[in-house]
Amino acid sequence: MTIIDTPANTTPKLPCLKSKGVTTVIRYYNFSNSPQLPHKRLEVPEAQALAASGMQIAVVFQQGQNSAPAFSDAKGFAAGVAAFGQARNKIGQPAGSGIYFSVDFDASTTEINQRVVPFFQGVRRAFDQESGGGPSYRVGVYGSGLVSSILTSRGLIELTWLAMSRGFRGTKEALQAGEFHLAQVPPEKLLCGLDVDFNEANPAGPDFGAFTLAVVNAELGASTGTVTL
């Protein structure tokens, strides 16, 4: 199993990626794309192309989120509403699969407790609101071992994706203890002309929240999906 993440639209590169053994592509949800990364957000045509190629999809929400001021309860709630809406209403992501939220810096314990924890409390509140007590998504974090440990202990996440830097607080310990679902593998690389990161799934628990789109309805622009276990 070869798992990559990339901020680029993979559609024109799918035959090449498949020939290189890629089985899962991790893409993004966000509020808006930047001029530097104009195709960062996963859109319906790409999701359908990935499905048609037989690849799994996993997703992470990121809009900045690389410093403590980017995190608060209100910002988490807004991110949760946006992510849930893109997943359910746009992509057709199946309930029970995962949506990761990025914490893309080496947060201290104080920053986690004062900023990151409230953010994920906001995400959970948004998911509760949007699901209305019905089917929902599993919440995950992309970040350090320390971030994932504290959020897990608070019952705020079900999925852990360890960021690439082995110097981040608690990451080496989480890897050694097997306390992760995904782990990003350094360094960044080029594959089929795309900037990508490679990732490893935990062999003891290979379900990291990926999904497939089982039925593609081009006329409606929507899909139904299947959770990959």
Side-chain angles (χ1 to χ4, degrees):
M1 177 187 293
T2 300
I3 305 164
I4 63 167
D5 66 86
T6 179
N9 184 340
T10 60
T11 305
K13 303 292 186 178
L14 288 177
C16 178
L17 293 174
K18 195 165 186 178
S19 75
K20 300 295 185 182
V22 174
T23 56
T24 304
V25 175
I26 305 172
R27 295 285 282 114
Y28 289 87
Y29 295 150
N30 61 14
F31 293 115
S32 62
N33 294 327
S34 68
Q36 295 76 25
L37 296 171
H39 305 292
K40 185 172 183 176
R41 183 170 60 231
L42 176 67
E43 302 290 356
V44 172
E46 183 184 2
Q48 293 178 342
L50 284 161
S53 74
M55 291 190 190
Q56 298 181 107
I57 305 167
V59 290
V60 56
F61 186 96
Q62 183 179 38
Q63 192 78 50
Q65 294 168 223
N66 56 4
S67 65
F71 294 86
S72 69
D73 180 277
K75 290 176 180 178
F77 182 79
V81 169
F84 199 104
Q86 288 171 41
R88 181 180 62 187
N89 304 330
K90 197 168 187 180
I91 300 301
Q93 180 176 337
S97 59
I99 302 176
Y100 292 84
F101 290 81
S102 176
V103 182
D104 200 10
F105 72 109
D106 190 16
S108 68
T109 300
T110 298
E111 289 170 327
I112 296 167
N113 287 326
Q114 293 183 356
R115 292 284 189 166
V116 178
V117 165
F119 180 93
F120 278 85
Q121 289 171 333
V123 168
R124 299 303 297 231
R125 197 169 71 258
F127 276 33
D128 288 343
Q129 171 186 285
E130 296 303 300
S131 67
S136 191
Y137 300 105
R138 286 180 285 167
V139 176
V141 68
Y142 167 88
S144 71
L146 181 61
V147 166
S148 64
S149 175
I150 291 175
L151 293 177
T152 298
S153 71
R154 299 288 190 96
L156 293 171
I157 61 169
E158 292 85 36
L159 298 167
T160 290
W161 178 13
L162 294 174
M164 183 181 294
S165 177
R166 301 303 184 250
F168 277 9
R169 295 171 174 90
T171 295
K172 288 181 180 177
E173 293 80 359
L175 284 167
Q176 291 168 358
E179 295 173 346
F180 66 95
H181 295 86
L182 277 175
Q184 213 169 45
V185 180
E188 296 179 18
K189 295 182 181 179
L190 273 177
L191 183 68
C192 299
L194 300 176
D195 290 319
V196 307
D197 301 312
F198 285 87
N199 298 269
E200 294 178 346
N202 189 332
D207 173 16
F208 52 88
F211 61 93
T212 59
L213 299 180
V215 177
V216 177
N217 188 330
E219 188 174 309
L220 295 177
S223 307
T224 62
T226 303
V227 181
T228 302
L229 300 176

